[in-house]
Amino acid sequence: MMEAQYRAPGSVDEAVALMAGAGGKGRVLAGGTDLLVQMRAGMVAPGLIVDVKRIAEMTAISQIAGAWRVGAAVTGAEIHDHAGLKKAWPGVVEAINLIGSKQVQGRASAGGNLCNASPAADSVPALVAAGAIATVQGPNGRREVPVEQIPAGPGKTSLKPGEIVVSFTLPARPAGSGDAYLRLIPRTEMDIAVVGCGVNLTMKDGTCTAARVALGAVAPTVLLVEGAAKALVGSKLDDKAIEAAAAACRAACKPIDDKRGTIVYRTKIAGVLLKRAVAIAAERARSN
Amino acid sequence: MSEQRRYKWVGTRQNRPDGADKVTGRARFGADFNLPGELVGKVLRSPHAHAVIKSIDVSKAAALPGVKAVVTGADFPEQPDQLLPAGEMQVNLRDVTRNVMAKEKALYEGHAIAAVAATTAAVAQEALSLIKVDYEVLPHVIDVQEAMKDGAPILHPHMRTDGVKPAPEKASNIAKRLEFNKGDAAAGFGKADIVIEREFTTQPVHQGYIEPHAALASAAEDGQVQLWTTTQGHFQVRGFCCRLLNLETSQLRVTPSEIGGGFGGKTVVYLEPVAIRLSQKAGKPVKMVMSREEVFRASGPTSGGWVKVKMGAKKDGTIVAADITVALQAGAFAGSPVGPSCMCSMACYDVENIHVVGYDVVSNRPKVAAYRAPGAPISAWAVESVVDMVAQELNIDPIDLRLKNAAKQGTKTHYGPTFGVIGMVETLEAAKASPHYKSKVKPGYARGVAAGFWFNVGADSSAAAHVGEDGSVTIISGNPDIGGSRASLALMAAEELGIDYKKVRPIVADTASIGFNFVTGGSRVTFATGLAVVNATRDMIGQLKQRAAKLWEVDVDAVVWEDGEARPSSTNVGKFEPLSLAKLAASASRTGGPINGHAQLNAQGAGPGFGVHIVDLKVDPDTGICTIDRYTAVQDVGTAIHPSYVEGQLQGGAAQGIGWALNEEYIYDAKGRLLNPGFLDYRMPVASDLPMIETVLVEVPNPAHPYGVRGVGEVPIIPPMAAIGSAIARATGVRMVDLPISPPRLSAALDAATPRMAAE
Ligand SMILES: Cc1cc2nc3c(=O)[nH]c(=O)nc-3n(C[C@H](O)[C@H](O)[C@H](O)COP(=O)(O)OP(=O)(O)OC[C@H]3O[C@@H](n4cnc5c(N)ncnc54)[C@H](O)[C@@H]3O)c2cc1C
């Protein structure tokens, strides 16, 4: 059996070079809460592990002109303790903080959650609803990619060989904005989302002026549900508009029957969570 | 309860003797034993639910450098068609050897096909991939009702349904039919004002012990074998391994580790005979540890079942007749707990006319093992749900209805015995008087109640009590301590001796260091082994009195043992300074040598236990998620020797029952392969799912035990499912009949009941 090599570079450039040199056998290690579990289970056997937690740019949270930049390897625990980010993007923060337990929070990152490419990843619908942009660096330099374009199917991403997600940018937002993320799990903790729903709204004088809605665990990848956003924008978030948005969510679902839920159940719950998440996001928007 | 204290130590909450080791990580569990030069053993498991094994080629694996031994079914001698007790269940030796290592057929996915021992885990793993098995895949059957149908794939061509006359000619998956009768059920229904009839199902559920199976075997050249393993009964392990491998019991010494949970699932053997056989062939120690996935695919669980209940009652709540059919899935080999399931079904009630039929059914799933009150929770789920329906229909309080029909001393059960001193009525009354039942149900919540019964077991135990040179005491018994039994045994010994609990050290001895002990199971240890410890201690006290008599040169009748010392029985005897244990120990050599007590017995008179659980919960109608707000377990425990550990048993049983009710199930694909062999998707409750589980200990002492002990460990898993189902029925108007009541299932049932919502 081949033993894996371990490197902990201090810069993104170095990390990218190491990945390029590993010839497809390299794996990025952030918190390791997916990667190490998969290695122990014999599902993956990397030749080189590139630990990105010593890279300043990937482990920092900063604000630039109202936008927030969150390093891809920042842990859930650090995000939890960041008052500024929590105030601006409570839905994104609560989604990241739903991952695992206290112990897992001390390690797990949003970058790992996205790149592990589980359809049920909790932070991804919230990031997509937020309109987050990922900064990606690879052998051919840097590019900016909307988060929804990164997952390509269960366990698959659109990242090119050797590419690393460096950070996420959450855009500056107008007053009267709020976001929320809700997931359904059969237990109260330590479970995987049967459905996840992220909602991001801007309200002006009681009318919804902008909306983004994303669903997790109801299709091979996260879904940006534009029909739901359309139903909300221009409305006063009255029952009819919300029911139309819920119907758009149900219509967008392409779930499977599996050990975590049935097609019928997942489809129904997508609508239920949409209504509940809109209520929370709207409440936050009103008080912002 | 009045706190007048009958005893100095019994009934107090002392630290458990194994506690410090467990919280500091010093305790050694099954996988913590190692020997110089040990090899790693691994098992190749069947990927098919049902297949003929046409051939196995191990030559490539055996030739791999680092591989020291390979075994297959051919390495285990054929066994007779003979039943042996395994905990509370019976097993057939012919089947046990096939479950340990398949012979002609693979009968479930995960069935052991071959095993290797190698220098490293990686080599062993690679060797498994080099074993070539030629399978002929057969149609399989998973579900118990499907397995009973004509035309179902037959697992065992030799199997004919036992208990049917005339004996059937055709092979069947129904291993056995049983029947119990009291009065005349058919006539009884004629006296009923209402009759309710429903069918219920349950899914198999795993015991879910945190510690996977593990064994380390060392077979020496002279034929002696030593084995270290995590088990509920090392004497049982010795018995099984010796039978399967043609060893004499004196040749095999089994040392039990600390045990990380068993709940009945560690009363059988899986790895142990394989590790020994590999060690015999390799000439080196072999260690085997199951992964969690292997635990799920190849060990436990308890049966899933189908139960039909018909119950008739008069308007005043008198239950006049019950007719019950129970079909339990046994897994790949005959032997589900259908017997106890039938017997427990109506044991809580004094009903004139009862008819119960049971079926033991094989299917292509792991062979079931005991799990807390084996079989009882399955029939209770159905019967207690119907009792609740009777209460609802007649508009009678569910506790009052049960009080009206409660079994009491003198009640003749439908399976034969007449109850002695039991506490069903006292338990119901305590439930009614509990702070929980007296509280108002919160708006939006609903309350459910259910009861449960378990026999509890006595059986064989041995114990010894040794006085050290300084007067401190060692209590030696032979039952692995799962639930705090060492603490309870030490408390009873301290009480008998009249010395400080801390001066008594209880240990669990290996099979060569104490006489035979039946398994830790059937809630028997504090009762039966407790009795042995009390008797061994009394034997020792008798000797201590003799030594004092010798020193004082008086008749032994003139000596009494009080407060940890020998005293003259009266002033007439003479003026003697009392002799403490320490003083008597110091002079032991001069008075006849070491002072040790012994006892061995077959404990008779195990006291049955009854429990009543109360739950308050709410249902989210949009998601089908149940949230439990308050939960109370009330039980007749005889005497709580160590109340904290008795409460712990009640709380643990309730927690497992809640998981059984709400989420736990095995999910199979179309090929009969298990899809959720891990705790992520086999959803046992996590801490945040449960409220603090309140307990009420009712003490109706068992007259057959000096301290009144009844078993307590099994009753608490029986009532939760029906308590929860009944609360859900009262919350939503929908009576759930299939377990688990998972969110998708409850949501679908609620939608079906309110067509408007479903039409959305
Ligand atoms: C007990 C437990 C509970 C869990 N509960 C949840 C839960 O509730 N919800 C949930 O969504 N997930 C859950 N998870 C999964 C996991 O914790 C999350 O997906 C987590 O966010 C992964 O982050 P990480 O930093 O640990 O990733 P890692 O394990 O370090 O990496 C995950 C994958 O992404 C790749 N990767 C990591 N960072 C980058 C990067 N910057 N660029 C490119 N590739 C990268 C890695 O190579 C690897 O393939 C749980 C896991 C455990 C063990």
Side-chain angles (χ1 to χ4, degrees), chain A residues 151-177:
Chain A
K156 289 200 198 84
T157 67
S158 63
L159 294 175
K160 306 207 177 73
E163 275 189 334
I164 295 173
V165 175
V166 177
S167 63
F168 299 101
T169 303
L170 298 163
R173 55 196 339 218
S177 299

Side-chain angles (χ1 to χ4, degrees), chain B residues 166-186:
Chain B
E169 280 168 23
K170 259 178 62 185
S172 163
N173 291 325
I174 304 173
K176 186 166 74 173
R177 178 185 186 278
L178 2 136
E179 189 165 359
F180 300 89
N181 251 315
K182 176 186 173 189
D184 180 346

Side-chain angles (χ1 to χ4, degrees), chain A residues 35-280:
Chain A
L35 184 63
L36 297 184
V37 175
Q38 289 162 9
M39 285 172 63
R40 294 238 165 86
M43 289 157 65
V44 294
L48 175 71
I49 290 171
V50 180
D51 184 341
V52 294
K53 287 194 299 297
R54 307 238 174 112
I55 301 172
E57 190 183 357
M58 291 184 68
T59 51
I61 302 175
S62 59
Q63 200 179 13
I64 311 148
W68 286 93
R69 193 159 247 248
V70 182
V74 175
T75 65
E78 287 168 278
I79 287 169
H80 178 268
D81 290 346
H82 199 287
L85 189 63
K86 210 176 199 167
K87 186 159 191 323
W89 292 100
V92 170
V93 170
E94 70 200 2
I96 294 170
N97 288 159
L98 276 174
I99 296 169
S101 56
K102 261 256 169 337
Q103 294 91 325
V104 171
Q105 281 288 306
R107 309 282 308 172
S109 66
N113 199 221
L114 176 66
C115 296
N116 184 58
S118 159
D122 278 309
S123 70
V124 179
L127 286 169
V128 169
I133 305 293
T135 300
V136 173
Q137 185 172 329
N140 301 322
R142 287 205 170 195
R143 61 192 181 104
E144 310 274 296
V145 193
V147 166
E148 59 270 27
Q149 288 176 20
I150 292 192
K156 289 200 198 84
T157 67
S158 63
L159 294 175
K160 306 207 177 73
E163 275 189 334
I164 295 173
V165 175
V166 177
S167 63
F168 299 101
T169 303
L170 298 163
R173 55 196 339 218
S177 299
D179 73 333
Y181 174 77
L182 289 175
R183 70 170 180 186
L184 184 135
I185 53 174
R187 287 182 292 204
T188 48
E189 291 275 354
M190 302 307 285
D191 222 323
I192 291 189
V194 174
V195 180
C197 179
V199 171
N200 178 24
L201 300 173
T202 303
M203 303 292 291
K204 198 168 180 216
D205 305 328
T207 299
C208 177
T209 56
R212 279 171 72 89
V213 172
L215 291 173
V218 293
T221 62
V222 64
L223 296 178
L224 177 66
V225 189
E226 281 165 0
K230 265 197 204 120
L232 298 174
V233 172
S235 81
K236 298 214 175 284
L237 302 185
D238 49 294
D239 288 353
K240 210 176 133 217
I242 290 174
E243 182 45 49
C249 283
R250 287 193 291 265
C253 291
K254 293 183 280 277
I256 51 170
D257 276 327
D258 74 357
K259 58 195 173 188
R260 298 189 180 132
T262 59
I263 292 172
V264 172
Y265 188 63
R266 284 190 154 117
T267 306
K268 176 186 172 190
I269 295 303
V272 172
L273 292 190
L274 176 280
K275 293 183 190 177
R276 293 180 182 184
V278 165
I280 298 168

Side-chain angles (χ1 to χ4, degrees), chain B residues 17 66 177 185 205 222 280 422 473:
Chain B
R177 178 185 186 278
V205 288
D222 62 358
Q280 286 174 330
I422 56 168
V473 173

Side-chain angles (χ1 to χ4, degrees), chain A residues 187, chain B residues 206-209 296 371 656 659 663-664 679 682-686 689:
Chain A
R187 287 182 292 204
Chain B
H206 198 272
Q207 295 82 349
Y209 30 81
F296 272 110
Y371 182 15
Q656 286 179 313
N663 276 310
E664 291 177 40
F679 284 138
Y682 180 84
R683 295 190 175 83
M684 298 186 79
V686 296
D689 292 341

